[in-house]
Amino acid sequence: MAAFNRNPWPASSESVIEAEINGKPADQRRAERQARSKPLLEELHDWMLAQRRRLSAKSTLGRAMQYALNRWEALARYLDDGRLSIDNNLPERQLRGIALTRKNFPFLGSDVGGDRAAIIYTVAETAKLNGLDPEAYIAAVLDRLARGHTIDRLDDILP
């Protein structure tokens, strides 16, 4: 068990790097990640492979390590694309309002009602992401549609 205490990858290293590059352009974030984060992640991967070989495939820790290793490509994808975040905290925060609403309205009457609610939530969150007031945006879109805005000009009313 002593080998598990020798993790060569300090937990704070990646968060320090990400904090330093937060807000920089995507190409700079990618370059910093390639230079600084990639070697750390490769070292962690090697360490995890070595530890995984020592563990029983049926143990909880063995299954957890195998789970992470099976998804390694997805985990490391942020290294090659500076637009990506290392975590999903932002989308999780943005979905919190939807999750609360979902708990408040567990029955929408039908699958079609659920589909419509999903569309409305998506439009509202997209409006927020684009700096618009979702209620005012949806009201304006509905008004334009009621006045005859055609489907072939849908791009004109997207947020």
Side-chain angles (χ1 to χ4, degrees):
M1 286 303 240
F4 289 106
N5 294 329
R6 291 183 295 187
N7 180 348
W9 196 63
S12 63
S13 297
E14 194 59 34
S15 59
V16 168
I17 295 168
E18 288 300 308
E20 290 174 4
I21 65 174
N22 188 29
K24 291 186 178 181
D27 57 337
Q28 287 180 4
R29 287 169 43 127
R30 182 188 180 282
E32 286 288 323
R33 287 172 175 168
Q34 290 292 311
R36 298 170 62 194
S37 299
K38 190 172 184 176
L40 291 173
L41 212 56
E42 287 171 349
E43 195 172 341
L44 175 64
H45 186 257
D46 292 344
W47 179 83
M48 287 181 70
L49 285 172
Q51 300 311 313
R52 176 59 195 94
R53 285 196 241 1
R54 299 177 62 214
L55 297 168
S56 165
K58 295 181 181 180
S59 72
T60 303
L61 186 56
R63 287 194 312 264
M65 281 226 185
Q66 193 58 51
Y67 180 88
L69 290 167
N70 287 344
R71 288 152 184 79
W72 196 262
E73 185 179 329
L75 171 71
R77 188 168 293 128
Y78 82 101
L79 294 171
D80 297 319
D81 190 340
R83 297 171 301 168
L84 299 178
S85 177
I86 190 172
D87 58 39
N88 65 348
N89 290 343
L90 178 62
E92 288 282 339
R93 282 193 306 273
Q94 291 171 334
L95 288 172
R96 189 169 291 131
I98 292 172
L100 291 173
T101 302
R102 183 187 66 226
K103 289 179 183 177
N104 291 334
F105 300 103
F107 303 103
L108 295 167
S110 67
D111 288 344
V112 173
D115 291 342
R116 289 180 181 149
I119 291 167
I120 291 169
Y121 293 142
T122 301
V123 170
E125 290 302 316
T126 302
K128 281 185 200 175
L129 286 172
N130 285 283
L132 303 173
D133 172 20
E135 188 176 344
Y137 172 73
I138 291 171
V141 167
L142 290 174
D143 181 60
R144 287 181 75 175
L145 291 173
R147 294 175 189 264
H149 193 89
T150 58
I151 191 95
D152 61 328
R153 294 181 33 237
L154 192 59
D155 287 348
D156 295 346
I157 57 174
L158 294 176

